[in-house]
Amino acid sequence: MKKLFIIYVIAASIGFSSCTGLFGEGQLDMAPVEDINEDKIFSDYAMFRQYADQTYSYMPGHLGRLWNSLVSSMGDESRNKGGCTAIFNNGAWDGTQMESSNKMFDANNEISTMWQNMYIGIRKTNKIIENIDRIPNFPSQEIRDRCLGEAYFLRAFFYFELIKRWGGVPIIDHTLTLNKDNLDLPRDTYEKCVEFIVNDCNTAANGLLPLKYADADNGRASVGAAKALKSRVLLYAARPLHNPSNDITKWEKAAKAAKDVIDLKLYTLYPDYVNMFFQPVCSEIIMNRPRIKMNFEQGHTNGSTFWTRFIATQGYNGWAGEWVTQNLVDMFEDSKGYPITNSQIYNDEDPYANRDPRLDMCILRNDRFWYDRKLEFWVTADGKESGRDKGTTHINVLGYAIAKFWPETHQRYKGTSTYMNYIFFRYAEILLNFAEAQNEVGGPESSLEGLSVREVLTELRARVGQVPIPEDISDSRESMRERIYNERAVELCFEEHRWYDVLSWHKGVEYFNKDIYGIRAVKNADGSFTYSREKYESATFKEHMHLYPIPNNEVYKSAVLEQNPGWK
């Protein structure tokens, strides 16, 4: 009895927004508001284009998509007060669709709503692929091919979002029709899903999509985007969760896919790591979701007050909604490239000196200069007084905030505005993908077609002024693997990678089932500070949580859709 789900998908995928600003502010976040006849959609290019462009809206594409939490707080990067990600931290999540009265309601956006939206997007792309040749008035063959390529890319993207959470899912490669097709479909294997996605990426990249666009079409899928998606898909497929036998051929495919993106020679590391996230376009971004400039009260979607809600401290007129963990801070190496647990220069009494430059590029901490003063995350020894950024009404419990997505001069009540695009793929990820895969193929000194593991990692770290990874802690496949895992955590922090990385590494119990810490900065009478780690909570992660629960309502109304092991 899977018909109820498919009926909803069929109905929802017909409509499109009547807004004509195809990539304007809010357009890609709109749900369809107007149902129209499909014959009209596929009989006129202008109407088809709106329908096709609105399909991009189903890509998870804003950092505030969980509304009161960032994805980074699902794992070990951050925490928040009262956010929906608490159920992921305490192990209370499952496949239940939560009611709007439940304060954890927005966790649906990561589970039940995600499943639903991905299949709505898949149906829309299937409809485009099947009906594109009905449209009589494409401006050119090039535009027709591009639209078809975008549909193949988007279908691949939607399927990857499904399999990275749930493993194998039902593959629907054509439009299902009521009273004609079997609507109760079993899951396909993970391997078959990967093959399907890779084929769609290849179809999109080989002759349909363009290499690049004019700035006005920034945000559309390109050859680079399709190849970057293929790189990510094959890397996840090679990792231990879905490759327990460590089939080296899977790692070889992943390394080659990343190398194919590098060989396009279209992308480079943007020299200014801090300001890369606030550029409408730049050399490092392979695909993003474009936005107009936003003021401080706006956010990634529907006036979500992103900076006020999640980023800014009380001392800068914010709500201090997201706090960075000491667990993440500890992942930033010393300035000689060693973990602080194996450092000759790290000092607990001065914990931020001689560290990877990305620490201050990404994280706000006590006594560093920010905008017009030093930050104040301190408390007095008796706890009766606290600094402005520690807060009193909006308290930063862990003693750290996010700098990465906050331009320093962008301040509340100052009349400022900035770009803040959501990045789907950037070149740094591709370099990390290559390093991880090639290291598994041949070890830390190995190369593929002249490009070595150490070379790409050194290039990445040099961009921010960090030294190469010392050879004495990366001289084997196993030791380099650990450094690459750490490099991904640092370079891509808060960008919605770490949670999914750890799950696909099959490391959730090791990394997430542990205590979460913050920092206590005590201001002494002489103005100096004494730092000590403070336990915040004990997080829970169990073995079966490496794969998400299929939404219960989908399982209950199907005779063949099997739930993932361990979930009721």
Side-chain angles (χ1 to χ4, degrees):
M1 295 297 293
K2 196 176 174 69
K3 292 182 179 179
L4 292 177
F5 170 61
I6 299 297
I7 288 172
Y8 177 79
V9 171
I10 291 172
S13 65
I14 292 175
F16 68 90
S17 168
S18 59
C19 174
T20 57
L22 297 178
F23 281 87
E25 170 72 1
Q27 167 67 9
L28 294 181
D29 297 314
M30 285 186 177
V33 295
E34 180 183 356
D35 288 343
I36 64 171
N37 185 286
E38 286 187 26
D39 288 336
K40 292 183 179 180
I41 294 175
F42 296 107
S43 63
D44 178 72
Y45 168 68
M47 299 187 74
F48 164 77
R49 169 120 177 219
Q50 290 191 55
Y51 176 85
D53 284 347
Q54 199 273 335
T55 307
Y56 278 90
S57 70
Y58 293 97
M59 300 174 74
H62 55 85
L63 292 168
R65 61 185 173 83
L66 299 181
W67 183 245
N68 56 10
S69 304
L70 300 185
V71 170
S72 59
S73 60
M74 293 171 65
D76 58 358
E77 298 171 275
S78 64
R79 286 295 185 268
N80 53 64
K81 181 180 180 180
C84 68
T85 50
I87 65 169
F88 296 94
N89 306 148
N90 62 26
W93 54 304
D94 58 24
T96 304
Q97 172 92 22
M98 283 168 283
E99 300 296 329
S100 58
S101 58
N102 190 326
K103 68 178 183 179
M104 299 292 111
F105 171 76
D106 291 298
N108 290 333
N109 292 336
E110 180 62 15
I111 305 176
S112 57
T113 304
M114 181 67 66
W115 175 279
Q116 174 181 287
N117 282 347
M118 294 306 96
Y119 273 112
I120 293 174
I122 287 164
R123 174 162 176 98
K124 286 172 68 73
T125 56
N126 283 338
K127 193 168 288 295
I128 291 167
I129 292 166
E130 292 168 1
N131 291 279
I132 195 166
D133 287 328
R134 292 172 56 189
I135 300 164
N137 60 335
F138 274 109
S140 67
Q141 182 68 30
E142 179 183 4
I143 291 178
R144 179 263 181 200
D145 290 348
R146 187 202 75 197
C147 290
L148 181 59
E150 289 177 283
Y152 276 110
F153 167 83
L154 287 168
R155 187 169 70 175
F157 187 96
F158 297 143
Y159 269 116
F160 176 66
E161 291 298 308
L162 288 168
I163 70 169
K164 83 176 184 182
R165 293 172 172 85
W166 286 281
V169 297
I171 295 175
I172 305 172
D173 62 357
H174 63 283
T175 304
L176 297 178
T177 304
L178 291 172
N179 303 318
K180 180 180 178 182
D181 292 304
N182 176 20
L183 305 183
D184 192 8
L185 302 175
R187 301 172 68 171
D188 287 285
T189 66
Y190 180 84
E191 291 73 20
K192 186 174 180 180
C193 291
V194 168
E195 180 182 6
F196 183 84
I197 294 168
V198 168
N199 286 340
D200 271 2
C201 290
N202 289 338
T203 299
N206 297 334
L208 293 177
L209 292 175
L211 283 170
K212 57 179 64 178
Y213 291 95
D215 287 353
D217 279 319
N218 177 35
R220 295 190 182 278
S222 63
V223 169
K227 288 181 178 291
L229 175 57
K230 179 180 175 181
S231 169
R232 189 183 291 176
V233 170
L234 290 175
L235 183 69
Y236 273 63
R239 285 172 169 173
L241 182 62
H242 295 292
N243 184 21
S245 65
N246 197 30
D247 181 349
I248 294 299
T249 63
K250 292 185 177 182
W251 289 112
E252 290 171 344
K253 291 177 181 178
K256 182 62 169 64
K259 183 66 162 52
D260 286 345
V261 182
I262 295 168
D263 287 346
L264 289 173
K265 301 189 183 305
L266 292 173
Y267 311 105
T268 59
L269 293 173
Y270 191 66
D272 186 351
Y273 181 82
V274 171
N275 290 304
M276 169 179 60
F277 302 96
F278 318 121
Q279 308 301 315
V281 293
C282 80
S283 63
E284 184 161 342
I285 296 174
I286 298 172
M287 184 181 183
N288 65 6
R289 172 160 291 178
R291 306 284 180 185
I292 62 171
K293 277 190 170 183
M294 295 178 290
N295 64 42
F296 206 88
E297 305 304 325
Q298 292 172 314
H300 268 149
T301 177
N302 300 334
S304 68
T305 57
F306 176 74
W307 289 286
T308 305
R309 178 185 296 271
F310 295 114
I311 306 299
T313 65
Q314 182 178 329
Y316 281 105
N317 303 300
W319 301 346
E322 202 75 15
W323 325 312
V324 179
T325 66
Q326 184 67 44
N327 304 56
L328 177 62
V329 171
D330 287 347
M331 296 181 205
F332 289 80
E333 304 161 339
D334 73 19
S335 57
K336 293 186 177 181
Y338 289 90
I340 62 170
T341 55
N342 184 28
S343 172
Q344 300 298 313
I345 59 174
Y346 172 75
N347 181 359
D348 267 335
E349 296 180 0
D350 189 10
Y352 311 114
N354 302 311
R355 299 292 291 274
D356 182 328
R358 286 171 293 192
L359 177 57
D360 274 351
M361 294 176 179
C362 296
I363 295 172
L364 300 176
R365 44 85 179 174
N366 185 60
D367 205 38
R368 67 160 286 186
F369 192 86
W370 183 256
Y371 184 54
D372 59 357
R373 60 175 175 81
K374 287 187 175 181
L375 291 166
E376 301 174 2
F377 287 106
W378 53 262
V379 295
T380 53
D382 60 9
K384 293 182 179 180
E385 296 181 49
S386 59
R388 285 175 282 182
D389 303 294
K390 185 66 174 178
T392 53
T393 305
H394 301 293
I395 299 173
N396 185 306
V397 176
L398 299 186
Y400 299 106
I402 297 173
K404 193 173 200 176
F405 304 128
W406 187 9
E408 192 165 349
T409 58
H410 186 44
Q411 297 292 327
R412 197 175 188 188
Y413 308 132
K414 298 293 184 180
T416 58
S417 63
T418 186
Y419 292 105
M420 180 58 195
N421 299 333
Y422 181 92
I423 299 175
F424 292 110
F425 304 101
R426 63 183 178 97
Y427 188 60
E429 180 199 347
I430 301 303
L431 296 181
L432 288 164
N433 292 356
F434 175 82
E436 182 179 344
Q438 185 57 37
N439 179 61
E440 298 298 334
V441 172
E445 310 307 329
S446 68
S447 300
L448 175 62
E449 299 170 358
L451 187 66
S452 72
V453 174
R454 288 199 186 278
E455 180 182 349
V456 296
L457 293 171
T458 297
E459 177 186 358
L460 181 64
R461 293 158 68 90
R463 182 255 296 271
V464 294
Q466 178 65 335
V467 299
I469 297 174
E471 292 189 15
D472 62 324
I473 58 170
S474 61
D475 58 356
S476 68
R477 179 183 283 107
E478 293 73 22
S479 59
M480 178 58 93
R481 179 188 302 141
E482 291 304 313
R483 301 322 307 151
I484 291 171
Y485 284 3
N486 195 82
E487 190 68 17
R488 286 187 73 95
V490 168
E491 173 68 25
L492 303 175
C493 64
F494 313 122
E495 295 181 53
E496 301 191 357
H497 283 275
R498 177 147 175 90
W499 168 260
Y500 307 108
D501 278 345
V502 171
L503 267 59
S504 62
W505 290 329
H506 207 176
K507 292 280 190 177
V509 175
E510 179 180 342
Y511 289 172
F512 294 155
N513 192 58
K514 59 169 49 176
D515 293 341
I516 296 295
Y517 289 87
I519 195 75
R520 177 177 173 84
V522 173
K523 186 174 184 179
N524 303 312
D526 62 0
S528 64
F529 299 97
T530 300
Y531 295 98
S532 60
R533 288 170 170 78
E534 277 193 326
K535 179 180 172 181
Y536 174 67
E537 67 178 8
S538 295
T540 298
F541 190 98
K542 298 179 180 179
E543 175 61 30
H544 67 276
M545 295 174 180
H546 286 97
L547 291 176
Y548 281 25
I550 294 175
N552 288 343
N553 61 336
E554 295 301 323
V555 176
Y556 294 160
K557 63 194 178 189
S558 169
V560 295
L561 190 65
E562 295 183 1
Q563 182 59 278
N564 276 321
W567 298 104
K568 296 180 181 179

